[in-house]
Amino acid sequence: MEANNPASLAPALRASGLSLRLGTQLVLEDLALEVPRGSFCAVLGPNGGGKSSLLKLILGLHQQDSGSLEVFGEPAPARHVRIGYVPQAKTLDRSFPAQALELVVSGLSRSWPWRISPSQRQAAMQALQQAGALELSERQISVLSGGELQRVYLARALARQPELILLDEPAAGIDAAGEHDMYHVLESWQHASGATVLMVTHDWGAAFHHASLALVLSRRLLASGPPQQVLSDETLRLAFGHHGHSHSMSWHAPHSHPPHNPAPRPPEAPHA
């Protein structure tokens, strides 16, 4: 985008009066929010609160019933914005005889690469290196661990050199070491590129420690701001209600650890 283009001054994401109904369920209702460029934004809230649906609206996989959604000033789906995406549910059949490199290239070609050009190979290898997964390039996806596969999917998203990267529960199914490595790669890449990160997560600790902006959704926007201010006992009660012992709500930022998420992490509907 050119510097003299008004869109170049627009935030990375802006929603106004945004509503979405899936069947009989009202998923988002009169949602209004704004995500500045260059933010690391964590989107939190209860299951069914519209978090993943917001990502699908950005990608054009859903169509809103009313309101507006803009990505870098362009109505979603923004065809002129480079977007990388790391889904929660990995729909690729792990038994399919394919190498990690081919999976990364599929993010460039938007289809399975039966042939890989030299330029595609170079871009994919660079992305694998950025994701700390260069040594995995020739491995079969069937033998990759959960953490290794997640790094390959992250490389697939980075291969397009995105202005915006969307992640849906990126830590699901990986161990603590893999999660630490993934956030380190993501933060290093964002610092170098200046891109915007929008991450759906149930992990309030990850949001507290890694995000610069937290959005709490439950059909509407319940809270928005720096995680150290937003992730409070009051917000937890507002988003989830309070069921259980009082100590689960007894953290106070910034002098103690962030709260444990009172909600489980069930998988959501898979999508491509």
Side-chain angles (χ1 to χ4, degrees):
M1 295 181 185
E2 299 297 331
N4 60 357
N5 186 336
S8 68
L9 304 176
L13 187 69
R14 177 187 285 143
S16 178
L18 185 66
S19 295
L20 172 68
R21 186 179 294 274
L22 298 178
T24 60
Q25 182 181 6
L26 186 60
V27 179
L28 295 171
E29 181 180 10
D30 197 27
L31 180 66
L33 58 80
E34 188 168 300
V35 176
R37 290 168 181 251
S39 300
F40 191 129
C41 177
V43 184
L44 308 107
N47 293 328
K51 305 181 302 296
S52 294
S53 294
L54 177 61
L55 299 191
K56 292 178 183 180
L57 282 169
I58 295 170
L59 292 165
L61 300 176
H62 288 328
Q63 176 62 49
Q64 67 260 33
D65 292 280
S66 61
S68 64
L69 179 63
E70 295 181 350
V71 182
F72 292 94
E74 182 180 338
R79 303 301 184 190
H80 299 96
V81 178
R82 297 188 307 277
I83 298 177
Y85 176 49
V86 180
Q88 177 186 3
K90 311 301 189 290
T91 57
L92 181 67
D93 183 357
R94 291 285 295 273
S95 66
F96 183 69
Q99 294 181 340
L101 177 67
E102 294 172 306
L103 179 57
V104 175
V105 172
S106 72
L108 292 168
S109 61
R110 303 296 185 91
S111 61
W112 194 258
W114 302 109
R115 293 183 180 180
I116 298 177
S117 70
S119 61
Q120 287 176 328
R121 178 177 294 275
Q122 182 179 1
M125 294 296 282
Q126 181 180 355
L128 282 163
Q129 184 173 26
Q130 289 174 322
L134 186 60
E135 74 282 1
L136 305 177
S137 63
E138 296 184 0
R139 288 195 197 173
Q140 295 291 308
I141 58 174
S142 59
V143 303
L144 299 180
S145 69
E148 289 172 337
L149 183 63
Q150 191 71 330
R151 277 189 285 159
V152 172
Y153 267 91
L154 181 57
R156 181 177 182 267
L158 298 182
R160 302 191 69 225
Q161 299 182 354
E163 301 163 81
L164 172 65
I165 186 166
L166 309 175
L167 304 105
D168 196 352
E169 294 289 354
I174 62 177
D175 60 22
E179 182 177 354
H180 177 272
D181 290 345
M182 181 196 66
Y183 284 124
H184 175 72
V185 167
L186 195 57
E187 289 175 324
S188 298
W189 168 80
Q190 188 204 20
H191 180 74
S193 67
T196 304
V197 175
L198 192 66
M199 176 181 73
V200 166
T201 182
H202 278 85
D203 189 342
W204 290 57
F208 184 89
H209 291 296
H210 300 288
S212 60
L213 175 67
L215 305 177
V216 183
L217 299 187
S218 184
R219 295 203 314 190
R220 297 172 179 260
L221 182 65
L222 302 181
S224 173
Q228 295 77 8
Q229 298 176 16
V230 168
L231 304 185
S232 64
D233 288 354
E234 180 181 358
T235 305
L236 275 170
R237 291 188 181 97
L238 189 62
F240 296 99
H242 176 38
H243 306 283
H245 301 294
S246 59
H247 63 73
S248 67
M249 305 289 287
S250 61
W251 80 288
H252 295 283
H255 301 296
S256 62
H257 295 291
H260 294 294
N261 171 31
R265 285 182 169 183
E268 299 182 14
H271 50 279

